[in-house]
Amino acid sequence: MLSYVNPTSLTLDPVTANPRLVLSADRTSARLAKRQHVFPHNTKRFDLELFVLGSEGFTSGRQYWEVETGNKTLCIVGVAQESVKRKGNVNLKPESGYWVLWLFPESDSASFRSSSRAIHTQMEKQRKIGVFLDYEGGQVSFYNAGTMSHLHTFTHTFTERVFPFFSLQPNDRQKNKAMLKICGISGHLEEHPIISASCPL
């Protein structure tokens, strides 16, 4: 039975996107603009940090999506709860409503943060990251989607809507200018190791 899992087809929410971000026409990818756009004041928009949320939030079920990092040198993916701070500097930690993985694709490494602690890990090439949300189970897990190796799992009792979260990070003298793209899941879903099995700790 696969009814408990939704292989989520996501789009990015332009209402939340930082004014420096440019979304593709189909809203499945984002890149950094040369200059900041001017928008009317909006309480949902991230005004300083280069963040954007997914267009759909979740209050139940198990969801899975993949993010292609391309040739980026730094990006951040994960989930954020609806009430997170969106103005000014934002602290990306679970206590602030963010469960995220910092990815450094060029150096084949990543880090996850809990409170003020950052734990770094080396990994195989990870141009595509899988994010698995089990709302009732209280888990957010990350996978190298190329090898399906497990990277990290956060645990938390969710009490409000949570959204897919994405951050491009600055261009770093054009070295980090590649787009961040949400990908569909290819192949037979019943054979997918995350769709067909519970998320390991």
Side-chain angles (χ1 to χ4, degrees), residues 15-180:
V15 174
T16 66
N18 177 279
R20 284 287 309 279
L21 300 184
V22 177
L23 307 188
S24 61
D26 62 2
R27 296 192 296 167
T28 62
S29 62
R31 61 177 175 82
L32 199 60
K34 293 183 179 180
R35 59 180 61 88
Q36 181 165 309
H37 299 285
V38 178
F39 295 106
H41 176 73
N42 176 5
T43 58
K44 294 183 178 181
R45 189 180 305 282
F46 294 98
D47 65 344
L48 181 60
E49 306 282 10
L50 300 175
F51 300 165
V52 60
L53 299 180
S55 56
E56 182 179 358
F58 307 107
T59 57
S60 64
R62 292 179 174 183
Q63 317 290 336
Y64 178 78
W65 60 93
E66 294 179 350
V67 185
E68 186 175 323
T69 64
N71 294 319
K72 298 193 71 60
T73 58
L74 172 61
C75 56
I76 308 169
V77 299
V79 303
Q81 65 186 19
E82 189 167 23
S83 63
V84 292
K85 179 183 177 183
R86 307 190 188 197
K87 305 302 180 184
N89 291 307
V90 175
N91 197 339
L92 292 178
K93 60 182 182 179
E95 291 80 358
S96 301
Y98 294 92
W99 296 269
V100 301
L101 192 72
W102 298 63
L103 299 162
F104 307 89
E106 261 195 359
S107 59
D108 303 334
S109 64
S111 70
F112 54 90
R113 303 184 180 189
S114 179
S115 300
S116 59
R117 183 180 61 161
I119 299 176
H120 299 271
T121 180
Q122 291 296 124
M123 63 188 69
E124 303 170 28
K125 287 288 185 183
Q126 28 78 32
R127 298 299 184 192
K128 189 182 292 185
I129 297 296
V131 184
F132 186 92
L133 168 67
D134 182 350
Y135 191 94
E136 286 87 357
Q139 294 182 349
V140 180
S141 294
F142 300 90
Y143 294 84
N144 181 335
T147 63
M148 296 320 301
S149 56
H150 177 241
L151 303 177
H152 181 65
T153 293
F154 288 105
T155 58
H156 179 76
T157 301
F158 298 108
T159 58
E160 61 178 273
R161 188 179 303 273
V162 295
F163 291 81
F165 170 89
F166 311 88
S167 175
L168 274 72
Q169 296 298 289
N171 272 348
D172 186 22
R173 292 173 292 180
Q174 300 302 305
K175 292 188 295 183
N176 194 37
K177 66 179 181 179
M179 295 189 301
L180 199 63

